[in-house]
């Protein structure tokens, strides 16, 4: 097989969006009975038939372990893997394929550089510059590297628009700076960073630059040589390719000087028990059997993308961005986060008036078949800087159309209208669930009483009610209704000690043993997300006012599965729910369990 290099064609005809969409089988699916509007492309893009078939053909006709086989099948698989690397090198405009290391993704690429380059090059007093826009995967590995070496992390601040403050960056640079690691595009706000300038400034003080290209490579042409990037990383699954495959580009001289990252097969030249010498690039950094099918799929994705042409992609996605910004801006009480002059096709927002938690926005949009992302987007320092816990984010790919954006805007408008027409329901609506406290003002002395004889009996009642609701949208509505009726927790109880970590929204829980009781546990809890308030109401119904031993005997995870929560709540949310259960169980165990 001779590697084919198809130069990126200059498109002369407009993008045929219908033809592009037709290549994505998943776009034909329906969610909750509605056509899918997939607007979470910054998390992962969908895969066109060309990629799906390339991976499937590989498995059906070509699979064998690479490099070692004496037989034709293995030689062919090796050639396919080599070819994939050549496609990647051409795509990034690397000087040679050996500078492109296959990884599991962006995260692994950064960890590789931080561990390997960091170990060999960082010393006490050295500085690494990151930016306030970074994803956790471009923060945590550097914290480890800095800690191990006694080096220090400096952070480029971001302004109100979500742009990096380049003057501040210049002030941070010094002869102590060893490396600057920034993203090409912010996954939380969409800001396109001036990385050419950032790299040049880093080089001017003798520092290296690593660029996290996770959010760029599918949306614009990349030329690592023109950028003069020292390292550039990206993931296949944000580029219309498979998960579990990504690329670390590094300049040959740097990669050659770096110690290997992992030890194992394929990365060695010679092994004795006394000493090991290492293979040449790229194998030195690819220990063990690689994700061959992933590399094949990634190459197919790149070729597919090149077949469309970035000129088309950029024009189309900028139109989507403009339309989405305009439609969302029209909505009352919606505040867009991230107003950079150069933005990728991504809109982040919060609803402030009336305040509606991003989690609730995401779950309600899901019921309309619209997939967006809510949360901190793995950018907690940025959220802290903006003084918010999360945003709702719609991010676009080449297959999205204006109709999907209109559907999004209309659905968000309906969420706002729903909250406006029930202002009391989104704010305080003291209607305690449990009998004894009904009608009473809610304060620290009014914890809900037991709703049934035991948690198991309460669970039966809840399950019976949920059993009458035929589908998830109706069960979701039931949980939301419970959330609306949950009394607000007094602010005095929203203390640090009562904060429950591990939940995506802010959750507080004040649990205690009822005074003068024999181990009866009761609790109040609250959250800024209505869906979580609904889950809290369920927990209160199950647990509050119950005996500690009965609480410990109750199998909550099995009950949540029975209600269908496993299937419909994200992992983070399930973990949040379990964190609340854990807190109640801990108190029960301490007191009479
Ligand atoms: N950096 C950025 C800017 C990202 O958007 C992401 C994914 N959200 C990552 C790094 C991590 O990518 P992966 O999970 O594919 O390793």
């Amino acid at each position: 097989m001779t590697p084919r290099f198809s130069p990126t064609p200059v498109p002369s005809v407009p993008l045929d969006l219908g033809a592009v969409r037709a290549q994505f089988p998943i776009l034909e699916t329906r969610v909750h009975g509605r056509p899918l509007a997939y607007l979470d492309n910054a998390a992962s893009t969908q895969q066109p038939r060309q990629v799906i078939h390339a991976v499937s053909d590989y498995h059906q006709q070509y699979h064998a372990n690479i490099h070692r086989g004496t037989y034709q099948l293995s030689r062919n698989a090796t050639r396919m893997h080599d070819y994939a690397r050549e496609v990647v090198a051409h795509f990034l405009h690397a000087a040679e394929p050996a500078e492109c290391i296959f990884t599991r993704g962006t995260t692994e690429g950064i960890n590789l550089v931080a561990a390997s380059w960091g170990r060999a090059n960082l010393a006490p007093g050295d500085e690494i510059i990151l930016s306030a826009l970074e994803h956790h995967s471009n923060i945590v590995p550097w914290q480890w590297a800095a800690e191990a070496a006694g080096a220090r992390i400096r952070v480029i601040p971001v302004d109100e628009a979500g742009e990096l403050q380049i003057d501040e960056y210049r002030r941070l640079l010094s002869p102590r700076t060893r490396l600057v690691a920034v993203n090409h595009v912010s996954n939380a706000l969409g800001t396109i960073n001036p990385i050419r300038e950032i790299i040049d400034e880093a080089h001017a003080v003798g520092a290296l630059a690593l660029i996290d290209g996770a959010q760029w490579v599918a949306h614009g042409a990349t030329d690592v040589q023109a950028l003069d990037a020292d390292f550039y990383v990206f993931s296949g699954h944000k580029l219309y390719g498979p998960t579990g495959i990504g690329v670390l580009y590094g300049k040959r001289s740097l990669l050659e000087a770096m110690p290997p990252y992992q030890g194992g097969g394929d990365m060695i030249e010679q092994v004795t028990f006394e000493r090991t010498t290492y293979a040449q690039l790229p194998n030195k950094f690819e220990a063990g059997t690689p994700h061959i099918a992933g590399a094949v799929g990634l190459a197919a994705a790149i070729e597919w993308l090149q077949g469309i042409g970035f000129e088309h992609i950029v024009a189309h996605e900028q139109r989507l961005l403009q339309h989405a910004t305009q439609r969302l801006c029209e909505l009352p009480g919606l505040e867009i986060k991230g107003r950079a002059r150069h933005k990728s096709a991504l809109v982040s927002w919060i609803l402030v008036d009336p305040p509606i938690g991003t989690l609730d926005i995401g779950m309600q949009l899901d019921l309309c078949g619209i997939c967006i992302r809510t949360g901190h987007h793995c950018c907690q320092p940025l959220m802290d800087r903006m003084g918010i816990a999360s945003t709702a984010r719609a991010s676009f790919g080449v297959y999205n159309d204006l109709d999907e954006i209109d559907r999004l805007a209309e659905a968000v408008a309906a969420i706002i209208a729903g909250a406006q027409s029930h202002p009391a329901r989104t704010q305080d609506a003291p209607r305690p669930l449990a009998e004894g406290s009904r009608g009473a003002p809610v304060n620290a002395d009014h914890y809900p009483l037991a709703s049934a004889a035991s948690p198991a009996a309460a669970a039966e009642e809840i399950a019976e009610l949920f059993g009458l609701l035929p589908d998830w949208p109706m069960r979701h509505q039931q949980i939301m209704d419970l959330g609306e009726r949950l009394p607000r927790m007094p602010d005095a109880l929203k203390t640090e000690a009562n904060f429950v970590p591990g939940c995506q929204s802010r959750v507080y829980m004040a649990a205690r043993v009822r005074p003068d009781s024999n181990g009866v546990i009761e609790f109040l809890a609250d959250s800024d997300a209505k869906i979580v308030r609904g889950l809290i109401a369920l927990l209160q119904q199950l647990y509050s006012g119950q005996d500690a031993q009965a609480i410990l005997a109750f199998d909550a995870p099995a009950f949540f599965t029975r209600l269908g929560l496993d299937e419909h709540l994200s992992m983070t949310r399930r973990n949040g729910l379990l964190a609340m259960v854990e807190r109640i169980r801990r108190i029960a165990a301490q007191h009479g369990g």
Side-chain angles (χ1 to χ4, degrees):
M1 196 185 311
T2 337
R4 290 169 286 117
F5 279 159
S6 43
T8 308
V10 178
S12 51
V13 288
L15 183 73
D16 181 351
L17 194 54
V20 170
R21 288 180 68 83
Q23 293 171 56
F24 288 82
I26 203 163
L27 298 183
E28 287 153 30
T29 56
R30 295 176 81 84
V31 179
H32 302 304
R34 310 287 183 90
L36 172 71
Y38 186 76
L39 307 179
D40 194 18
N41 295 283
S44 253
T45 43
Q46 300 295 347
Q47 296 173 36
R49 278 202 181 81
Q50 196 165 316
V51 172
I52 297 167
H53 289 168
V55 172
S56 149
D57 288 352
Y58 168 77
H59 284 304
Q60 291 191 48
Q61 298 175 48
Y62 302 108
H63 172 64
N65 208 325
I66 58 172
H67 295 157
R68 281 155 284 198
T70 48
Y71 46 88
Q72 185 174 339
L73 204 61
S74 171
R75 279 196 300 277
N76 278 346
T78 305
R79 282 195 198 108
M80 290 173 89
H81 194 251
D82 290 346
Y83 174 67
R85 200 187 305 279
E86 294 187 35
V87 170
V88 166
H90 179 253
F91 178 64
L92 292 179
H93 202 245
E96 50 169 324
E99 293 182 320
C100 300
I101 312 294
F102 282 123
T103 62
R104 279 196 303 122
T106 305
T107 304
E108 192 179 50
I110 299 169
N111 273 277
L112 190 163
V113 178
S116 164
W117 178 88
R119 182 154 37 105
N121 293 284
L122 288 174
D126 285 349
E127 293 184 353
I128 298 164
I129 297 183
L130 309 177
S131 92
L133 290 173
E134 297 317 307
H135 188 279
H136 296 163
S137 61
N138 203 21
I139 298 174
V140 183
W142 298 113
Q143 285 175 332
W144 292 345
E147 215 170 288
R152 181 173 173 211
I153 305 260
R154 313 293 306 266
V155 182
I156 311 170
V158 71
D159 67 14
E160 285 306 308
E163 294 189 1
L164 292 182
Q165 292 180 276
I166 297 299
D167 286 348
E168 293 298 322
Y169 168 53
R170 289 199 189 98
R171 271 193 274 280
L172 290 174
L173 285 163
S174 80
R176 290 184 299 279
T177 313
R178 302 302 313 280
L179 183 130
V180 177
V182 293
N183 59 40
H184 198 151
V185 174
S186 154
N187 63 306
L189 303 182
T191 314
I192 300 177
N193 290 314
I195 56 161
R196 178 68 230 235
E197 195 180 339
I198 289 173
I199 294 169
D200 284 350
E201 300 274 359
H203 288 169
V205 297
L208 299 180
L210 176 142
I211 306 300
D212 167 356
Q215 296 296 342
W216 171 260
V217 285
H219 307 283
T222 311
D223 185 334
V224 288
Q225 293 187 83
L227 289 171
D228 202 14
D230 298 295
F231 300 105
Y232 195 99
V233 288
F234 72 89
S235 304
H237 68 98
K238 296 181 198 286
L239 183 73
Y240 306 97
T243 56
I245 187 80
V247 172
L248 157 67
Y249 159 82
K251 287 179 181 164
R252 173 178 273 280
S253 57
L254 296 170
L255 292 174
E256 275 182 343
M258 282 159 53
Y261 174 52
Q262 293 182 331
D266 255 14
M267 53 74 74
I268 56 92
E269 183 187 61
Q270 185 75 36
V271 179
T272 66
F273 277 110
E274 288 70 41
R275 182 166 175 268
T276 295
T277 54
Y278 305 119
Q280 298 298 309
L281 294 175
N283 302 46
K284 177 173 127 183
F285 288 109
E286 291 181 1
T289 301
H291 186 6
I292 310 164
V296 168
L298 175 60
I302 290 174
E303 290 184 326
W304 177 82
L305 209 58
Q306 288 172 327
I308 296 180
F310 276 118
E311 195 170 294
H312 279 327
I313 294 169
V314 172
H316 176 61
E317 292 185 353
Q318 283 299 313
R319 184 140 177 260
L320 295 176
L321 173 65
Q322 217 177 3
H323 190 63
T325 308
Q326 188 186 334
R327 289 295 319 260
L328 290 174
C329 276
E330 287 163 7
L331 303 178
L334 185 145
E335 201 179 297
I336 289 191
K337 293 289 175 187
R339 292 288 202 162
R341 282 158 297 172
H342 301 291
K343 261 186 83 167
S344 185
L346 178 166
V347 188
S348 251
W349 75 90
I350 55 173
L351 294 179
V352 286
D353 185 20
I356 303 173
T358 57
L359 187 53
D360 293 329
I361 303 171
M363 293 198 71
Q364 291 190 54
L365 290 178
D366 172 48
L367 298 175
C368 306
I370 302 171
C371 308
I372 63 150
R373 174 111 340 191
T374 63
H376 51 61
H377 314 295
C378 297
C379 293
Q380 280 180 338
L382 176 64
M383 297 294 136
D384 288 347
R385 156 72 180 84
M386 296 192 297
I388 53 177
S390 64
T391 72
R393 179 190 76 187
S395 53
F396 310 110
V398 64
Y399 40 65
N400 288 125
D401 61 24
L402 299 178
D403 285 349
E404 289 172 317
I405 291 171
D406 290 338
R407 272 177 65 197
L408 168 72
E410 280 150 28
V412 177
I415 294 170
I416 296 170
Q420 279 169 339
S421 63
H422 296 104
R425 297 171 78 191
T426 59
Q427 302 296 318
D428 292 10
R431 249 210 278 169
L433 277 173
E435 270 303 316
S437 54
R438 190 156 286 164
V442 179
N443 61 46
D445 296 327
H446 288 79
Y447 286 76
L449 299 180
S451 73
S454 66
E460 280 313 312
E461 285 178 11
I462 297 169
E464 208 170 295
L465 174 63
F466 271 65
L468 299 173
L469 306 172
D471 54 18
W472 171 247
M474 291 190 73
R475 290 174 177 205
H476 172 264
Q477 191 53 50
Q478 170 67 15
I479 299 173
M480 295 290 275
D481 288 347
L482 289 174
E484 281 176 5
R485 296 203 298 270
L486 182 78
R488 281 286 174 193
M489 186 182 189
D491 281 346
L493 287 177
K494 291 182 180 168
T495 60
E496 205 169 307
N498 286 336
F499 180 68
V500 185
C503 310
Q504 196 180 319
S505 54
R506 280 195 91 70
V507 174
Y508 292 94
M509 175 180 281
R512 66 174 191 180
V513 177
R514 178 177 302 154
D516 305 325
S517 79
N518 196 10
V520 169
I521 306 297
E522 53 189 11
F523 69 91
L524 294 173
D526 208 344
S527 162
D528 52 2
K530 215 192 294 176
I531 183 80
V532 177
R533 288 170 51 73
L535 296 172
I536 288 170
L538 284 178
L539 289 181
Q540 278 193 335
Q541 221 167 320
L542 285 171
Y543 288 128
S544 197
Q546 298 290 351
D547 170 70
Q549 280 188 7
I551 287 176
L552 291 172
F554 182 67
D555 183 353
F559 176 62
F560 297 148
T561 306
R562 184 173 165 198
L563 288 194
L565 299 185
D566 277 5
E567 204 186 321
H568 294 285
L569 293 185
S570 71
M571 188 187 78
T572 351
R573 203 119 322 116
R574 284 199 309 273
N575 289 345
L577 183 59
L578 293 177
M580 290 191 273
V581 170
E582 221 16 72
R583 181 161 295 211
I584 299 165
R585 288 178 62 88
R586 221 174 35 240
I587 300 225
Q590 279 162 5
H591 304 279

